[in-house]
Amino acid sequence: MEIGRGKTGRRAYSLSEIGIVPARRTRDPEEVSIAWQIDAYRFELPLMACPMDSVVSPDTAIQIGRLGGLAVLDLEGLWTRYEDPEPLLAEVTELNEQEATRRLQAMYAQPISEELIGRRIEEIARAGVTTAASLSPQRTARYAKAVVDAGVDIFVIRGTTVSAEHVSGRAEPLNLKQFIYELDVPVVVGGCATYSAALHLMRTGAAGVLVGFGGGSGHTTVKVLGVAVPMATAIADVAAARRDYLDESGGRYVHVIADGSMTSSGDIAKALAIGADAVMVGSPLARAAEAPGRGYHWGSEANHTELPRGARVRVGTIGTLEQILHGPSTVPDGSMNLMGALRRTMATAGYSDLKEFQRVEVVVADSGLHGDRR
């Protein structure tokens, strides 16, 4: 599309503009499987909890694992900087809007402890659930050994935008291909939002690629940096890269995980219908009674020392983790029983598993909403 005489741009779509088309055949929701497997690890839910201190603590990681999902612990968060971060988490809820960003920056200025990295991962592993932990690309090389030695099952390298060809004149960048090749655990890496960036990340040997810029409800990357790709188009483009890489590699399947823009069960269903294998969610789980954020939500972007691109936001508390994931729901807005709603969507469309569901027909409809919601 022509923006002006000197610039053109491709039309892109947000999840709010997509609708799933029901088929002539329907199924019983109880007979629908929403199980998902990455590498050797199988999960009953196609859901990863975002590595955010407001969502994932060692305790909630264990609970989400027992409920069938996978929680990712942020290894650059409060849990690896402080022996007991509970007083700080409580303090976050007391801050006014003017104080919040500055105080978060101060809290996260405490150095990361390798000893705490190991202890937190071991704590989750002892509970018998799959352990997943996240580092930014900038800190991956420094702390990777401590993470692997602690027994992590799935290593997540997550940033606002991660490329396979980072260029820096100041320091030697992380060589993703070499790093992943030498690692004995599956790696999930992202975010990315284009076909070419995803294809390059898949060629590094990653087991999964995160689509989107993550960040949750308080994400302000669009306002601060102007960087944005609507989620529906981003997922479709990265799913196309997965298909082409499958042919290029002779059958190696890389999982596509939609990260961001999912605040309701309908958003989750649409992300999977467009081509995602699983979703990474933040704010819906931040509303759980057990969430460490106590009704508030923020991501690592909120405490950046030089250019914060996130805010602490009030999301409230609506129920337990089990209610949010499995119901029963007491509200009609798609914020509870996320997985029950997904089963019903798939049953209505006539599909029995997630791989089949990726072939469902979708339509584009202007909903009147502006951009992706988080």
Side-chain angles (χ1 to χ4, degrees), residues 245-293:
Y245 180 70
L246 188 69
D247 292 338
E248 175 188 303
S249 63
R252 186 172 181 274
Y253 189 92
V254 179
H255 295 267
V256 172
I257 300 146
D259 181 9
S261 301
M262 271 150 289
T263 58
S264 70
S265 53
D267 294 330
I268 292 171
K270 287 187 278 188
L272 296 167
I274 293 167
D277 297 290
V279 297
M280 180 175 273
V281 299
S283 58
L285 301 181
R287 303 177 75 185
E290 303 94 326

Side-chain angles (χ1 to χ4, degrees), residues 78 82 85-96 99-100 102-104 106-107 292-294 296 298 312:
L78 298 176
Y82 298 90
E86 292 291 351
L88 294 171
L89 291 165
E91 182 187 344
V92 173
T93 68
E94 311 272 329
L95 300 172
N96 62 41
E99 297 173 332
R102 186 173 298 175
R103 183 63 184 124
L104 284 171
M107 288 179 181
R294 297 166 168 80
Y296 284 86
W298 67 95
R312 181 211 59 170

